[in-house]
């Protein structure tokens, strides 16, 4: 067991996704911090979204060589009734802004690195309605205990 | 030991960096494939670079929330005489294009995920001359044997 940290900056890892792919209008940042062995916190602000209710999720890949469409399926699709990559739905008002903080116990920050965060138009996460996405990257504070990632 | 694969698509993993941050002019794609337990191949084309000789390297973080400047130091800086993140120097002619294929035995694709590839202006990899960068993301084919990454 790891010891408890005294601050919000996680010794278990932190990551960031600059939401800047797929749209001229929508921009934002999503930060992920593993605040305990169990809990990964997602915190974000995304601007320039169309008003309405939209799905927020993690997709398998972070490949943006063809924009958001090359990021693959939602993480865990088909493995259980609710894919673990389905994070939440965002309510966006007239100002076009989504702000959120989610405590998630299905995901770990070290399993998210190199994947992507996507906001869909509407609540149905199909491939043709990807509004904006960003690659989940390492940020400082990630893996202070260990600089290595490995397949396991 | 893993079995040998029959194709170039690696069972050991593949990643991609869309080089699209930090510059309006420069764009490209770098692909990384772990072709064996020892060798990680970097293959890329980047256009719109200024003519001259420029450093190509992997940096610790993939945090582009402040552009290429928030990607941290070159991977392995200070740990040995030559940082393992220093990949190569690129010769760019009047057409502004760099094409390269590098066989690297110092790095493994699974240790690169979530970091960044950076091209510097000139061969001195300091913080103020970052021309263009991209986050190293998972691409399909990565970790066919295992979907998990873990700290180890
Ligand atoms: Zn999705
Ligand atoms: Zn560098």
């Amino acid at each position: 067991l790891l010891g408890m940290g005294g601050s919000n900056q996680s010794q278990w890892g932190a990551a960031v996704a600059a939401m800047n792919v797929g749209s001229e209008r929508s921009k934002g940042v999503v930060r992920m911090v593993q605040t305990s062995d169990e809990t990964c916190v997602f915190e974000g602000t995304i601007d320039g979204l169309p008003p309405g209710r939209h799905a927020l999720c993690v997709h398998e890949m972070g490949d943006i060589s063809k924009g958001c469409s090359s990021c693959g399926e939602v993480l865990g699709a088909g493995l259980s009734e609710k894919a673990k990559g389905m994070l939440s739905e965002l309510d966006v008002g007239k100002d076009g802004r989504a702000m959120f903080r989610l405590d998630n116990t299905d995901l770990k920050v070290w399993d998210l690195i190199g994947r992507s965060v996507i906001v869909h138009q509407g609540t149905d996460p199909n491939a043709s309605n990807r509004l904006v996405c960003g690659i989940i990257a390492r940020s400082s504070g990630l893996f202070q205990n260990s600089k290595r990632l490995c397949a396991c």
Side-chain angles (χ1 to χ4, degrees), chain A:
Chain A
L1 270 174
L2 297 169
M4 288 296 290
S7 86
N8 239 358
Q9 280 313 303
S10 173
Q11 58 186 313
W12 286 279
V16 62
M19 303 294 287
N20 61 2
V21 179
S23 167
E24 297 291 303
R25 293 178 61 235
S26 309
K27 299 272 175 221
V29 174
V30 179
R31 294 189 179 276
M32 289 134 279
V33 181
Q34 191 76 25
T35 56
S36 75
D37 207 25
E38 285 85 37
T39 306
C40 181
V41 177
F42 289 76
E43 210 164 34
T45 304
I46 306 171
D47 283 305
L49 295 170
R53 198 167 170 83
H54 308 300
L56 175 76
C57 42
V58 173
H59 279 241
E60 282 187 356
M61 259 75 80
D63 183 350
I64 55 159
S65 55
K66 288 170 187 144
C68 303
S69 67
S70 40
C71 287
E73 293 306 306
V74 62
L75 185 62
L79 298 180
S80 60
E81 203 172 338
K82 179 180 178 285
K84 64 181 177 177
M86 297 293 297
L87 296 177
S88 185
E89 294 179 357
L90 303 175
D91 280 311
V92 179
K94 287 182 203 156
D95 63 356
R97 167 169 284 197
M99 286 189 73
F100 54 88
R101 186 188 192 278
L102 306 166
D103 286 15
N104 185 299
T105 55
D106 297 325
L107 300 167
K108 310 286 186 196
V109 73
W110 52 83
D111 190 40
L112 302 178
I113 302 296
R115 305 190 190 276
S116 54
V117 177
I118 296 186
V119 179
H120 294 269
Q121 166 92 50
T123 55
D124 173 29
N126 68 59
S128 63
N129 63 358
R130 298 179 183 182
L131 280 175
V132 60
C133 62
I135 304 169
I136 302 172
R138 299 184 201 221
S139 68
S140 39
L142 181 59
F143 304 125
Q144 296 179 341
N145 290 316
S146 165
K147 295 265 181 183
R148 287 189 67 223
L149 284 175
C150 68
C152 63

